[in-house]
Amino acid sequence: MLPLAQAAEEESLLQESWNDFWLFRFFLNISGYATIIVPGYLLIQYYKRKNYLETGRGICFPAIKSCVFGSETKSGLQEDVSATSRNEATVASSSSAKQFAKLLVCAFGLQASYLTWGVLQERVMTQTYRTADTELGEKFKDSQFLVFMNRILALTVAGIYCALTKQPRHGVPMYKYSFASLSNILSSWCQYEALKFISFPTQVLAKASKVIPVMLMGKIVSRKSYEYWEYFTAVLISVGVSMFLLSSTTYKHPSTVTTFSGVVILAGYIVFDSFTSNWQDNLFKYKMSSVQMMFGVNLFSCLFTVGSLLEQGAFLESLKFMSRHSEFAFHALLLSVCSACGQLFIFYTIGQFGAAAFTIIMTLRQAFAILLSCFIYGHAVTIVGGLGITVVFLALLLRVYARSRKKRSKKATLIPAPVEKV
């Protein structure tokens, strides 16, 4: 009986080690999403081959039309120009004091939401949760459940906002949101999972350096062209990140050591996130608001994650962990609130003050996040690493300045020169 018991114990330990291996969990999540994506793809192809748009009838016709076909109407340049002029007129009409107060509120909201979110993210993924019965404690391991928590609250907030405010008539086929949704949840999963292997400051710098893959993905997906200063700042960012990573030493605390698995997961995050932004940029060619985009992407994200969690049996396990540790339940809920509020502040800031002001606020937020993480969790940064961080943020601010100058020059060329009377 003793050899049988030892064999069973070894088998359970081996299974547990496989379940903890990030690559195994990644493919397990992908297989869960595939059970939803593949039938959905077959249904879409079936309705398109059947020419359902002309032959379909019945109660389900409006839902199928919206999901598969949409209205296929794209917003034109004239609508974008008129919307921009309306926003500029609104900004000009309001007093400078009110605009400054709004900017302060936006900056405070973004900093509070995402700084709190960053601190909690590192707390949940790297620290243990203890109960009164046990002193050792246990770590929460399922990153996908945290992604689901964030998305379900964001979906609720976006749905309430769309229901209470007037939105443009929706035209994009709903299934097109699934591409951005899939890459979004994979990037979020990589973001949480990477904290098991790398330090939070390293992750923040990697986010700052995603300018480079975003440019590459823009060339591939959207066939965009870039100017010399964009390439120059991208090189500066890569140099700064390299300085920070190479300055990391192996004798530091294990939580701050950058491992190969962490680098691979972080690379996955950057690739998936770059695709998400470029695909969403293509979707905005349709006439839609940012909150409608938020609702559509989060709707499919909830569908994918809850389906995968239920298939793996991880949903109930996560709920049991939450019931055992009330502190974790509070942290998970606060993470979701910060994520949803942060998305709303993003849309409002860009709509009121433009992308340049938003980028400056978020660049400062990344710098504050590194300082806050080093202060709370004791991450050590060398002189060379600090210099690399400075190079990265200077390059980001240079990008913002060059982009704002480019926009001002475009506006100057669009304004017709006054005709002199003879």
Side-chain angles (χ1 to χ4, degrees):
M1 293 294 291
L2 186 60
L4 288 175
Q6 288 179 344
E9 185 178 357
E10 289 178 359
E11 185 178 354
S12 64
L13 288 174
L14 182 63
Q15 184 178 1
E16 186 177 352
S17 65
W18 267 107
N19 289 335
D20 290 339
F21 184 43
W22 68 268
L23 190 60
F24 175 76
R25 288 198 306 275
F26 177 78
F27 284 112
L28 197 63
N29 293 344
I30 290 290
S31 62
Y33 305 148
T35 58
I36 301 172
I37 293 171
V38 173
Y41 172 78
L42 294 175
L43 278 174
I44 289 170
Q45 295 303 313
Y46 168 76
Y47 285 121
K48 285 186 175 180
R49 283 198 305 268
K50 192 181 177 183
N51 199 14
Y52 185 82
L53 192 60
E54 297 179 1
T55 60
R57 295 289 183 274
I59 302 175
C60 298
F61 176 76
I64 295 174
K65 178 180 179 295
S66 176
C67 292
V68 179
F69 301 99
S71 64
E72 298 291 349
T73 56
K74 295 188 178 182
S75 59
L77 181 62
Q78 186 64 34
E79 291 173 339
D80 294 337
V81 172
S82 61
T84 304
S85 61
R86 284 196 301 269
N87 289 337
E88 290 176 355
T90 303
V91 172
S93 62
S94 60
S95 65
S96 58
K98 283 186 177 180
Q99 285 300 307
F100 183 70
K102 284 183 180 180
L103 183 60
L104 284 180
V105 170
C106 291
F108 178 79
L110 287 168
Q111 300 289 350
S113 298
Y114 283 106
L115 286 176
T116 307
W117 180 79
V119 171
L120 285 174
Q121 184 189 33
E122 189 169 7
R123 167 67 181 90
V124 170
M125 298 308 300
T126 62
Q127 309 294 317
T128 58
Y129 287 92
R130 293 180 175 83
T131 59
D133 300 332
T134 60
E135 293 184 359
L136 294 176
E138 55 181 335
K139 287 185 177 181
F140 184 73
K141 299 177 182 179
D142 201 330
S143 303
Q144 189 176 207
F145 181 77
L146 294 176
V147 177
F148 167 73
M149 287 285 292
N150 290 350
R151 299 301 178 267
I152 190 67
L153 188 59
L155 175 68
T156 305
V157 171
I160 294 173
Y161 189 90
C162 288
L164 297 179
T165 59
K166 187 177 181 181
Q167 299 293 321
R169 184 179 178 183
H170 193 266
V172 61
M174 287 293 293
Y175 80 90
K176 290 192 175 183
Y177 288 117
S178 63
F179 298 96
S181 175
L182 182 61
S183 59
N184 180 254
I185 57 178
L186 288 175
S187 67
S188 298
W189 182 89
C190 291
Q191 187 178 2
Y192 282 111
E193 199 72 14
L195 285 175
K196 298 178 181 178
F197 305 96
I198 63 172
S199 65
F200 184 76
T202 305
Q203 188 187 81
V204 172
L205 277 190
K207 289 180 184 179
S209 65
K210 72 181 181 182
V211 172
I212 305 166
V214 165
M215 290 171 64
L216 294 175
M217 199 68 70
K219 275 189 161 299
I220 296 171
V221 177
S222 306
R223 307 210 176 266
K224 294 180 179 178
S225 59
Y226 300 97
E227 297 186 13
Y228 71 92
W229 58 266
E230 294 179 285
Y231 289 107
F232 174 69
T233 52
V235 171
L236 277 182
I237 290 171
S238 63
V239 169
V241 172
S242 300
M243 290 171 63
F244 177 81
L245 293 179
L246 292 175
S247 68
S248 300
T249 52
T250 56
Y251 56 81
K252 294 178 185 176
H253 191 272
S255 65
T256 65
V257 174
T258 301
T259 65
F260 177 73
S261 293
V263 172
V264 172
I265 297 172
L266 210 50
Y269 159 75
I270 292 173
V271 171
F272 290 129
D273 194 63
S274 303
F275 176 83
T276 302
S277 58
N278 280 281
W279 187 264
Q280 286 179 327
D281 190 42
N282 281 335
L283 285 183
F284 273 120
K285 293 176 183 177
Y286 293 87
K287 189 179 180 181
M288 72 169 72
S289 68
S290 299
V291 183
Q292 285 175 323
M293 172 73 76
M294 178 180 172
F295 180 84
V297 172
N298 284 307
L299 176 64
F300 280 95
S301 296
C302 291
L303 179 65
F304 290 149
T305 51
V306 75
S308 179
L309 286 167
L310 289 174
E311 289 171 9
Q312 298 175 29
F315 192 79
L316 291 177
E317 288 297 323
S318 299
L319 290 179
K320 289 178 182 177
F321 188 94
M322 187 178 287
S323 65
R324 289 196 302 271
H325 304 282
S326 58
E327 187 183 6
F328 167 76
F330 173 72
H331 288 166
L333 180 61
L334 193 55
L335 266 174
S336 303
V337 171
C338 290
S339 177
C341 292
Q343 289 186 53
L344 291 177
F345 273 114
I346 286 174
F347 298 142
Y348 184 77
T349 305
I350 294 176
Q352 290 289 318
F353 304 101
F358 166 74
T359 307
I360 292 174
I361 294 171
M362 295 305 284
T363 302
L364 293 175
R365 191 272 302 182
Q366 290 173 331
F368 291 150
I370 291 178
L371 294 175
L372 197 60
S373 177
C374 292
F375 176 74
I376 295 176
Y377 299 106
H379 300 301
V381 178
T382 63
I383 296 175
V384 178
L387 185 60
I389 294 172
T390 306
V391 170
V392 170
F393 289 111
L394 285 177
L396 289 173
L397 292 174
L398 181 60
R399 284 181 68 88
V400 175
Y401 174 72
R403 190 173 295 167
S404 62
R405 285 201 60 175
K406 180 182 175 183
K407 286 183 178 179
R408 282 200 299 268
S409 62
K410 277 187 176 180
K411 288 180 181 179
T413 55
L414 288 174
I415 297 173
V419 179
E420 294 183 0
K421 292 183 179 180
V422 180

